[in-house]
Amino acid sequence: MAHRRLQLAAVLALAAFAVAQARQISHLPDAPAMCPLEMRKNTRWGVATASYQVEGGWNLGGRTPSVWDTFSHAGFIKNNDTGDVACDMYHKYPQDFKLMRELGIKHYRFSFSWNRILPQGGKGTPVNPEGIAFYNSLINEMIANNIRPYATIFHWDLPQVLQDKYQGLIGEEFIADFVNYANVLFENFGDRIRDWMTFNEPWVTCVLQYGQGVFAPGIPMGDEGMYKCGHNLLRAHAKTYQLYHKVPQAKLDNVTFADAARGKVGIALNIEYLEPLTEAKEDVAAANYGLEKNLGWFADPLFFGDYPASLKSCAKDVLPSFTAEESKLLKGSLDFLGINFYTGKFAKGSATDKCSVETREQDVNGKDIGPLAESSWLRVVPWSFYKLLKYVQSRYDPKQIIITENGVSAPKEDSMSVQQAIRDDFRVNYYKGYLDYLCKAISEGVKVNTYFAWSFMDNFEWREGYSQRFGINHVDFDSPELTRTTKDSGKFLSKHFFRVGRGGGVGARRPGGRKPTKETPKAAKPAKQQ
């Protein structure tokens, strides 16, 4: 009798939990009007993070410092925050993938820590077995949870040793060292990863890190350094693409990495859409040049083999040139184009200076282009997403577009209680509006088939530390356990997108090779965080 009472109590508790869950979800808005169910079913919906922003374990498992460790330890981050622990995903990834699975997430974009894989950074230096073991375990845990991995090779965290050796991306040696690093990743993880991005947001790397010096390594080198960085980055990308697609591998029975895994290589470019402030021809020209200067700087060489003519004219004194061989190698060196998109602005030009682009957040009547997020650079402008995607499809006609990042920092969320922060209507409305316009673009022929929300959880937001939150899951940074709690935005995306979208297809394999097990290997237990 007591046993039956216990069974009844368990059933009632389960029913109560289901009712509570239903009540929690009932206040969520409907799916965006321009996103019919069939379209949502045929699209892959996922989440993204980056190694330095979530991993922690900065001095564990053989990892050496990156430029961001050095930069944050020097006190350049708001509130003296660092990524030493961050979200501690180094230890907590099993529970994070369990949470992803509970939310119906089947696609996850992450990045490797270069200095965890190659502590000395460069070609000819030892590969770190602890780093390989960590990422093997991480990837296999994803697959065990039916989550498809999408890997970014470089997301800003350059090994400090390479910055010291030859000024990082400014040095010609960077190209060979990057291709070697990519080769190590392809060799060790290419049997389970089909989708690779060489670089995340080259504009940020080259403008903020090496041009203005406001991001790590914090050494301003002006326009000359900025364009040298971009030139090296593009050539490194092209050689990595060639390595993946064109070089037979003896260990793979002389087939290429691409053929062995049926894999793809792309890049993740960031861009703000620019709308002409008025119909004046100088404003229209400024908007066009702004897009070419910021997006075309990287996209044009990858699609057409050279920089935009407008950029070559306006930056002729500092913009390097490609050789004929480099141009040939660059042209078409991507299988998909990744777009990181957050916001749009107005552009005002000059009747006397064709190279002048002034960006504004208010129209001619002083009206804001959209509500301001917590980030000073981010206004909520859903229609700009549609216009940007139409521009990209028209100018480049890519085979495939992946939205590699899209999200928002909700105002004042860092000062809210957990219960206040998880009711993130601001972020829910952002996603509803932006996804509405994404679906409109898809319905009109824009070739987007995969979308990643930024971010899976609150994390280290670079210069702003933990003061700006982009996560669809709240992280309690004051809790010893760094507790994760799903926000309403996570529930909204889960209900209308993650759960209904296309599956992961995680079973990448090499011809004649092994299919990855869904059992996580017993890696060496990480040391306690110091």
Side-chain angles (χ1 to χ4, degrees):
M1 193 71 176
H3 178 65
R4 286 182 180 175
R5 279 200 299 269
L6 281 171
Q7 279 186 318
L8 179 61
V11 169
L12 290 172
L14 254 161
F17 176 77
V19 169
Q21 287 291 95
R23 283 175 181 163
Q24 283 183 329
I25 293 174
S26 65
H27 71 274
L28 298 175
D30 293 336
M34 290 184 278
C35 294
L37 180 59
E38 196 61 30
M39 182 185 290
R40 286 180 280 135
K41 282 182 175 180
N42 288 327
T43 306
R44 299 182 178 100
W45 310 98
V47 292
T49 67
S51 54
Y52 188 74
Q53 293 180 270
V54 298
E55 272 185 14
W58 79 279
N59 59 354
L60 301 180
R63 182 187 183 276
T64 56
S66 73
V67 292
W68 278 95
D69 293 298
T70 304
F71 195 69
S72 64
H73 292 169
F76 288 113
I77 310 300
K78 188 172 184 177
N79 300 323
N80 287 316
D81 290 335
T82 73
D84 290 1
V85 177
C87 305
D88 198 22
M89 200 172 186
Y90 185 72
H91 295 107
K92 295 181 178 296
Y93 65 87
Q95 73 183 57
D96 286 329
F97 294 141
K98 181 174 181 284
L99 177 57
M100 286 187 197
R101 185 165 191 161
E102 289 170 356
L103 291 171
I105 295 167
K106 311 175 198 74
H107 306 271
Y108 175 50
R109 178 184 172 226
F110 73 107
S111 74
F112 288 96
S113 168
W114 186 337
N115 35 305
R116 199 181 290 286
I117 296 291
L118 289 162
Q120 297 309 309
K123 188 176 181 180
T125 62
V127 175
N128 176 23
E130 289 184 84
I132 298 296
F134 168 71
Y135 284 113
N136 269 328
S137 186
L138 183 91
I139 293 163
N140 288 347
E141 189 71 18
M142 279 186 235
I143 292 171
N145 283 278
N146 199 36
I147 298 166
R148 177 170 173 167
Y150 298 69
T152 306
I153 297 173
F154 181 80
H155 198 128
W156 306 352
D157 47 350
L158 180 79
Q160 181 65 47
V161 65
L162 299 186
Q163 179 63 33
D164 296 340
K165 186 178 180 182
Y166 50 71
Q167 293 188 301
L169 276 83
I170 300 299
E172 191 80 14
E173 302 96 320
F174 171 82
I175 299 170
D177 282 347
F178 180 84
V179 175
N180 173 71
Y181 162 50
N183 185 70
V184 172
L185 298 185
F186 295 155
E187 284 187 342
N188 283 278
F189 312 112
D191 57 340
R192 286 152 291 165
I193 297 175
R194 292 175 176 173
D195 306 273
W196 298 88
M197 285 138 276
T198 51
F199 293 94
N200 179 75
E201 298 191 352
W203 186 94
V204 171
T205 297
C206 295
V207 175
L208 300 187
Q209 294 187 255
Y210 288 96
Q212 299 173 11
V214 295
F215 273 21
I219 305 170
M221 298 182 180
D223 287 353
E224 187 173 353
M226 174 178 86
Y227 287 119
K228 178 64 173 172
C229 166
H231 204 66
N232 286 342
L233 185 152
L234 282 164
R235 292 185 293 164
H237 166 90
K239 290 191 173 184
T240 301
Y241 183 87
Q242 182 186 45
L243 166 68
Y244 193 74
H245 276 281
K246 305 294 185 184
V247 181
Q249 302 296 315
K251 294 179 182 178
L252 300 177
D253 298 327
N254 287 321
V255 300
T256 65
F257 289 121
D259 287 340
R262 305 191 304 276
K264 298 178 179 181
V265 169
I267 194 168
L269 304 182
N270 63 295
I271 184 65
E272 293 178 348
Y273 181 72
L274 295 178
E275 176 79 358
L277 181 64
T278 71
E279 294 180 358
K281 62 181 181 180
E282 60 265 29
D283 291 351
V284 173
N288 286 333
Y289 174 58
L291 290 170
E292 291 178 6
K293 177 184 178 183
N294 296 323
L295 178 64
W297 174 16
F298 297 100
D300 273 36
L302 299 175
F303 284 95
F304 310 134
D306 202 0
Y307 296 118
S310 59
L311 184 61
K312 291 167 74 173
S313 173
C314 290
K316 58 178 182 254
D317 295 333
V318 288
L319 186 68
S321 299
F322 296 115
T323 66
E325 183 180 352
E326 288 170 344
S327 180
K328 184 178 179 181
L329 199 64
L330 275 161
K331 187 176 180 179
S333 63
L334 73 174
D335 301 310
F336 63 85
L337 175 62
I339 294 288
N340 291 5
F341 188 81
Y342 291 88
T343 191
K345 289 184 171 65
F346 293 116
K348 179 172 175 55
S350 166
T352 57
D353 183 2
K354 66 178 183 179
C355 301
S356 172
V357 182
E358 178 190 343
T359 60
R360 295 185 176 184
E361 296 179 355
Q362 289 78 33
D363 65 16
V364 290
N365 298 312
K367 182 181 177 182
D368 289 338
I369 196 170
L372 182 64
E374 180 64 20
S375 305
S376 61
W377 52 270
L378 206 172
R379 294 266 179 184
V380 180
V381 193
W383 55 262
S384 67
F385 197 12
Y386 166 79
K387 289 199 169 187
L388 185 278
L389 290 171
K390 294 287 283 186
Y391 171 86
V392 168
Q393 191 66 55
S394 173
R395 182 176 177 89
Y396 300 110
D397 191 24
K399 305 170 197 172
Q400 175 189 357
I401 300 172
I402 295 178
I403 305 305
T404 34
E405 290 182 21
N406 177 236
V408 71
S409 53
K412 308 301 180 188
E413 199 169 270
D414 66 312
S415 61
M416 296 179 185
S417 69
V418 176
Q419 290 307 310
Q420 290 172 324
I422 63 175
R423 300 303 295 267
D424 58 339
D425 292 347
F426 187 89
R427 187 173 290 106
V428 170
N429 291 329
Y430 176 96
Y431 279 120
K432 183 171 183 181
Y434 275 64
L435 290 170
D436 214 10
Y437 277 101
L438 169 64
C439 292
K440 177 177 169 63
I442 293 172
S443 72
E444 294 179 10
V446 175
K447 296 174 185 174
V448 174
N449 69 355
T450 307
Y451 169 96
F452 292 100
W454 184 272
S455 175
F456 169 63
M457 58 185 163
D458 298 331
N459 55 54
F460 178 86
E461 186 51 36
W462 308 112
R463 280 291 294 257
E464 301 303 322
Y466 300 100
S467 68
Q468 295 184 4
R469 293 171 176 261
F470 281 78
I472 62 169
N473 289 288
H474 179 275
V475 177
D476 185 352
F477 293 108
D478 295 325
S479 159
E481 295 301 316
L482 297 168
T483 304
R484 283 77 153 136
T485 308
T486 301
K487 302 176 187 177
D488 284 352
S489 57
K491 295 172 184 176
F492 171 78
L493 292 173
S494 173
K495 178 180 179 181
H496 297 305
F497 296 92
F498 299 148
R499 292 188 183 282
V500 302
R502 285 182 63 182
V506 296
R509 68 171 76 198
R510 292 171 170 162
R514 65 181 177 83
K515 185 174 181 180
T517 177
K518 289 196 175 185
E519 293 179 3
T520 305
K522 301 266 186 194
K525 189 175 180 180
K528 187 177 180 181
Q529 187 85 31
Q530 295 176 4

